[in-house]
Amino acid sequence: MPNYTFVVNGKTVTVDAPADLPLLWALRDKLKVRGLKYGCGINVCKACTSHLDGEAMNPCVTPVSECEGREVTTIEGLADGDQLHPVQEAWLEQDVAQCGYCQPGQIMAAVALLKKTKNPTDADIDKIENVCRCGSYFRIREAIKAAAAKM
């Protein structure tokens, strides 16, 4: 099998994997990065949302071969040491999580939105397609707005 070398949360890694192995499984099974969640495997629920070179993407449908020489950031790489990212802080302050399963993907989608849109409207936030089965969308919206104000 070929080797793929890329950066995950600031650390260079090499993975021995088939080219078409979804990045989700390379991260979770081979590299033991478990913050991103498996939800559907077909890019619908977006529980696995992470960043590739700073852009939101879904590792469940991204082949590991596409990551060669690139930078992957998962929820584990968002904080700066002990300092949480403003979106993570807002999530806690707004008490967003219920079951919490979708929250890593929700947070990563929110961070990507706020990189592009400093003061998002409700319509901007509604474009986030991540599914929350608990229905905590109101608190998600409030957390994104609170994080935008901090940033």
Side-chain angles (χ1 to χ4, degrees):
M1 279 190 278
N3 285 325
Y4 299 98
T5 301
F6 49 99
V7 175
V8 177
N9 299 326
K11 296 179 183 174
T12 301
V13 299
T14 300
V15 175
D16 180 24
D20 62 348
L21 180 72
L23 176 61
L24 175 71
W25 301 120
L27 291 168
R28 288 185 59 81
D29 292 347
K30 293 184 175 283
L31 299 172
K32 307 302 182 207
V33 178
R34 301 281 169 84
L36 67 164
K37 303 301 182 194
Y38 171 76
C40 67
I42 57 172
N43 198 25
V44 173
C45 75
K46 304 192 184 312
C48 63
T49 302
S50 298
H51 295 173
L52 183 60
D53 295 334
E55 298 286 325
M57 60 88 178
N58 296 97
C60 69
V61 294
T62 303
V64 69
S65 59
E66 285 188 22
C67 300
E68 176 69 32
R70 299 176 77 184
E71 186 170 342
V72 175
T73 306
T74 68
I75 191 74
E76 291 93 340
L78 202 53
D80 184 11
D82 290 338
Q83 180 62 46
L84 294 177
H85 187 281
V87 173
Q88 292 171 306
E89 289 177 351
W91 238 252
L92 292 171
E93 291 164 2
Q94 298 296 323
D95 197 26
V96 172
Q98 284 188 37
C99 84
Y101 197 82
C102 71
Q103 298 310 305
Q106 296 278 2
I107 290 169
M108 296 304 284
V111 169
L113 170 65
L114 292 175
K115 282 177 87 174
K116 293 180 180 179
T117 308
K118 300 298 181 199
N119 194 14
T121 64
D122 287 346
D124 294 326
I125 296 169
D126 288 345
K127 291 177 185 172
I128 293 176
E129 296 178 335
N130 295 55
V131 175
C132 173
R133 291 183 179 178
C134 297
S136 63
Y137 296 108
F138 175 78
R139 291 193 311 257
I140 290 169
R141 179 185 311 279
E142 294 304 304
I144 292 171
K145 289 179 179 181
K150 286 182 179 188
M151 295 170 71

